[in-house]
Amino acid sequence: MQPFDIEVLIRGKKEVLLVIPDHESHKFMVFDGDIYLGTVLPMLEEEGVKWTSDKLMADELLAQIGDKIENHET
Amino acid sequence: MEFGKVQEDEILSVNFSLPNDGSITSKILEKSEENKKVKFYVGCGTWGQKSWTKHLYNKGTKTSDFLKMYLTQFNSIELNAMFYSLPDRDRVIGWKKLAIENSKSNFLFCPRLPQLISHVLKLEDVNEIFQNFVDVVSNFGDNLGASFLQLGIFGPERLHILQDFVETVPSGFKLFVEVRSPEWFSNEKVKEEYFSVLSRNNIGAVITDTSGRRDLIHMNLTIPECFIRFVGNGGKYVESDFRRIDDWVIRIQEWVNRGIEKVYFFVHEHGERNTPILANYVIQQFNALLEANLPELTFIEK
């Protein structure tokens, strides 16, 4: 899977983030330009896919990133 | 669903008409039993989006309750959540219990095969993992619908690997396959071999209707069932989405008249915000023209 862009809303402003997938470890590195935001990981839980991050990230942003990755992957 | 998305200014130039049936479709439907009651399943690719709390789920519905709410509205789901990892047996049993408690009908879960099988190992040496998948999803029991395997970077040069894999699928385990590399569809001979391998092994072929990849609407039924993944454009193109659905209903009506036995129709939209609106339109048209007798969705009154 190639790197891809996702569009998210950060403080009401549209931002384009770069996602670099690593399917073998089921993880996705997320960058805002040159800035590394964190590596996100989907966990399959009772309520469905829940996304976690190795770096502190606002829940709202993490949920948006997760939704966008899921949309990209289906 | 972002796959097959085109720029807004390109949407108007897309030819959305459905192609004629592929050559294998007539052969399959000819063999099908007549007068069998057709079963219709309409659903989405996710059981929850926050944006659905504006029209489908009550405001303030917790994400942990999305599945329960979804089960009260739809009769099936494309279970993409399994793409990331395989749940354990207890979780599947828990989801099945929720379906029994909340669904108005016999709800079907249609699990997507995990990426470990499709994208990492690309079907090589996957016997044990696949068997584990089959064992786990079998816990859905009567609530298990067709599973589907989506292959991304996997071209026709790997047909023999696909063939080896589908030969291991247990009889009675319903599987559909979706290949995406354009090379599968640009050469008639390759296409014929591909559909022949699926048909010989009683495996279905997913049909994906999305703006940017019209070649994926191959119209070849390799078994007397169809699994359609419809991707709407939404927004100001929603009327065009409705007309595309109308065309599908007419085609499915032809298949019904010729003996199709089961119809899975999964609705997506780029962004997934208004997917339930499109899905409800599918349900209405299935009821009106195909006597599907499916309950319509109940939207929140504003």
Side-chain angles (χ1 to χ4, degrees):
Chain A
M1 177 72 70
Q2 301 294 314
F4 57 91
D5 290 338
I6 55 170
E7 204 176 73
V8 293
L9 279 177
I10 300 178
R11 286 180 225 98
K13 205 176 138 206
K14 276 186 184 175
E15 300 278 355
V16 175
L17 306 180
L18 173 69
V19 177
I20 302 179
D22 176 358
H23 276 296
E24 288 194 34
S25 62
H26 312 296
K27 290 176 182 171
F28 299 81
M29 286 194 287
V30 183
F31 292 85
D32 182 0
D34 293 338
I35 304 164
Y36 171 67
L37 295 183
T39 294
V40 297
L41 171 75
M43 310 283 285
L44 190 52
E45 301 199 343
E46 190 70 37
E47 63 262 37
V49 178
K50 189 169 180 206
W51 289 83
T52 59
S53 171
D54 67 337
K55 295 259 185 188
L56 196 60
M57 203 181 274
D59 286 349
E60 176 67 31
L61 176 61
L62 183 59
Q64 278 190 71
I65 291 171
D67 279 350
K68 295 285 180 171
I69 293 174
E70 284 180 55
N71 284 341
H72 185 270
E73 302 238 308
T74 51
Chain B
M1 180 153 150
E2 297 294 299
F3 175 74
K5 188 176 183 177
V6 297
Q7 295 299 318
E8 266 207 53
D9 56 357
E10 292 172 42
I11 293 175
L12 290 175
S13 59
V14 174
N15 176 4
F16 284 114
S17 59
L18 297 178
N20 293 333
D21 285 353
S23 56
I24 204 161
T25 300
S26 299
K27 291 177 204 159
I28 294 296
L29 294 183
E30 248 169 42
K31 288 188 282 185
S32 183
E33 285 177 48
E34 279 178 30
N35 302 322
K36 221 173 170 182
K37 177 90 179 130
V38 187
K39 291 181 178 162
F40 296 93
Y41 295 93
V42 178
C44 304
T46 170
W47 59 56
Q49 290 280 317
K50 226 172 178 181
S51 54
W52 294 8
T53 56
K54 288 182 181 142
H55 51 53
L56 188 66
Y57 300 161
N58 289 320
K59 200 178 170 192
T61 303
K62 292 182 203 153
T63 51
S64 54
D65 289 330
F66 280 178
L67 172 58
K68 206 188 282 183
M69 299 301 294
Y70 184 95
L71 289 162
T72 64
Q73 300 267 16
F74 295 91
N75 73 349
S76 58
I77 188 165
E78 201 187 271
L79 195 49
N80 286 294
M82 284 203 183
F83 178 64
Y84 297 106
S85 62
L86 193 59
D88 58 28
R89 176 183 171 274
D90 290 348
R91 185 147 296 157
V92 168
I93 291 170
W95 287 340
K96 176 185 167 64
K97 191 167 168 271
L98 271 182
I100 291 168
E101 288 167 357
N102 294 285
S103 177
K104 297 169 193 157
S105 56
N106 185 45
F107 187 91
L108 294 188
F109 292 91
C110 295
R112 179 176 175 189
L113 266 65
Q115 60 179 347
L116 183 60
I117 294 175
S118 57
H119 287 63
V120 179
L121 297 171
K122 295 188 167 74
L123 302 185
E124 290 189 74
D125 299 324
V126 296
N127 284 359
E128 202 177 315
I129 305 164
F130 178 60
Q131 190 51 54
N132 188 22
F133 171 82
V134 173
D135 290 346
V136 169
V137 299
S138 294
N139 288 294
F140 280 124
D142 291 343
N143 298 99
L144 177 63
S147 297
F148 72 106
L149 164 71
Q150 190 184 84
L151 296 164
I153 303 169
F154 189 102
E157 72 285 355
R158 301 175 77 86
L159 178 64
H160 63 289
I161 297 169
L162 176 63
Q163 179 166 349
D164 289 348
F165 173 75
V166 295
E167 283 172 359
T168 68
V169 175
S171 64
F173 185 83
K174 193 64 75 185
L175 179 71
F176 282 78
V177 175
E178 177 185 16
V179 288
R180 288 184 165 180
S181 293
E183 295 77 22
W184 289 101
F185 304 102
S186 55
N187 180 310
E188 281 304 315
K189 194 164 177 283
V190 167
K191 217 154 87 169
E192 203 176 299
E193 281 176 19
Y194 166 60
F195 292 122
S196 168
V197 164
L198 295 188
S199 179
R200 278 202 308 274
N201 290 282
N202 200 28
I203 304 289
V206 171
I207 301 175
T208 300
D209 180 349
T210 186
S211 303
R213 284 294 305 277
R214 305 308 291 164
D215 54 337
L216 297 184
I217 315 178
H218 51 74
M219 295 302 195
N220 279 281
L221 302 184
T222 53
I223 57 173
E225 299 184 10
C226 66
F227 191 117
I228 296 155
R229 306 182 81 218
F230 176 89
V231 190
N233 293 300
K236 60 183 179 184
Y237 301 100
V238 72
E239 278 303 321
S240 128
D241 294 338
F242 290 150
R243 301 295 77 80
R244 289 167 61 198
I245 291 168
D246 291 341
D247 288 348
W248 268 112
V249 177
I250 291 167
R251 182 62 58 93
I252 292 168
Q253 190 173 35
E254 287 171 21
W255 290 344
V256 167
N257 292 338
R258 290 160 63 195
I260 197 167
E261 292 166 13
K262 202 177 277 184
V263 174
Y264 293 99
F265 199 102
F266 292 107
V267 183
H268 298 258
E269 186 206 43
H270 302 301
E272 303 287 357
R273 265 183 213 89
N274 293 313
T275 316
I277 294 165
L278 291 179
N280 197 47
Y281 185 75
V282 173
I283 290 169
Q284 289 171 335
Q285 298 313 303
F286 276 13
N287 288 344
L289 291 158
L290 308 174
E291 297 173 22
N293 202 23
L294 299 172
E296 284 189 35
L297 307 186
T298 310
F299 290 94
I300 298 165
E301 284 181 34
K302 293 203 173 157

